[in-house]
Amino acid sequence: MPSDRHAGGALVLVVGPSGAGKDSLIDAVRPGFPEPEKLVFARRCITRPADAGGEDHEPLSVQAFQERQRSGGFLFHWQAYGLFYGIPAAYGKDLAAGAIVVANVSRSVLNEARRRFASLVFIHVTASPETLKARLAGRGRETGKAVDMRLRRAIATVPTGDDVVTVLNDGTLEEATEKFDKILRDLVARPQSFLDSTVS
C-alpha cells in the first residue's frame, strides 16, 4: 500500500457507533465554515440508493463500487451491515494542497489510517448505551436483534490513543455541536500545535 504520510494537510476521521450522531454533527458544523478550501467535508460513496434517506452520498451499485475500488478510487473503503462505503481518493488532492479533510469512517480503518497518514486526528463521537439504543430504535431501520448487535459492537470497539478526541453526545445536539465545532476550529486555526498536542 502506498504511503500518504507526507500529505500537506491533516485528516480528521470521525468515528463512533451508529446512533451517536456523527452525521448530525457534521451537518450542523459544515455551514459555519466559509472557507471550503481550508476545511473539506468528504462526501461518501455508498451502495445505497440516493432516496434511501440519511446522509447525502454518492450512490453506487456494488459492481461500480468494486470497479472503483480495484482502480484505487478510494482513500478508504469498508463493508458494514450489507453495504459498501468508500471515501473517494480525490480528497487526497485536498490533503496535498494543505486542506483539512473531515470524513465519517468506520472504526475498522483506524489502524490503516495510522499507517498511512502522519497528520491525523480521530474524533470519536459516542453516547451512552441507553441513548444509542433509543436513537437506533427511533430511526426504524433495524430490528431489535440488529439494534442489539450494533450496541455490542459499540461497546467492543472503542478507539483509544493519543490521536483520539472524544465528543460525548448524550445531551442536546447543540451541546455536542459546540464541542465538535471547537475541535475543528482549533485545528484550522493552529493545525501543527493541535496535532502536536494530540499525537505522540
Side-chain angles (χ1 to χ4, degrees):
M1 179 180 296
S3 173
D4 300 287
R5 295 185 67 83
H6 299 294
L11 189 59
V12 178
L13 298 182
V14 183
V15 298
S18 298
K22 301 182 296 295
D23 288 329
S24 296
L25 290 179
I26 291 172
D27 289 343
V29 303
R30 185 190 285 115
F33 288 90
E35 298 177 284
E37 72 278 1
K38 291 184 178 180
L39 189 68
V40 177
F41 292 88
R43 183 171 181 250
R44 304 197 295 184
C45 297
I46 309 176
T47 54
R48 181 170 62 201
D51 59 359
E55 70 184 274
D56 173 34
H57 65 281
E58 180 184 348
L60 292 176
S61 67
V62 172
Q63 180 180 353
F65 188 100
Q66 292 175 336
E67 288 175 355
R68 190 180 297 190
Q69 177 184 330
R70 285 193 292 269
S71 66
F74 297 117
L75 278 181
F76 301 104
H77 59 84
W78 65 95
Q79 185 177 5
Y81 305 107
L83 296 172
F84 291 90
Y85 296 80
I87 305 299
Y91 291 108
K93 295 180 181 178
D94 295 297
L95 288 170
I100 294 168
V101 175
V102 181
N104 178 359
V105 303
S106 167
R107 287 159 287 180
S108 65
V109 308
L110 187 148
N111 289 332
E112 177 189 352
R114 283 173 170 159
R115 287 194 302 270
R116 292 174 53 197
F117 293 90
S119 299
L120 175 68
V121 175
F122 293 95
I123 301 181
H124 178 222
V125 179
T126 190
S128 68
E130 294 78 15
T131 299
L132 293 175
K133 186 171 185 177
R135 289 175 181 165
L136 289 171
R139 70 186 188 181
R141 294 184 198 166
E142 297 95 354
T143 64
K145 184 177 181 180
V147 168
D148 289 340
M149 182 173 66
R150 286 181 181 270
L151 288 175
R152 287 195 297 271
R153 182 171 180 268
I155 295 171
T157 56
V158 176
T160 59
D162 293 337
D163 53 0
V164 178
V165 181
T166 298
V167 173
L168 183 63
N169 187 17
D170 252 347
T172 66
L173 178 61
E174 290 74 17
E175 291 171 334
T177 297
E178 184 177 350
K179 299 173 188 175
F180 191 74
D181 184 83
K182 185 178 187 304
I183 293 169
L184 294 181
R185 288 186 183 277
D186 286 349
L187 184 53
V188 170
R190 45 186 186 88
Q192 194 56 56
S193 59
F194 185 96
L195 290 165
D196 290 343
S197 70
T198 57
V199 182
S200 59

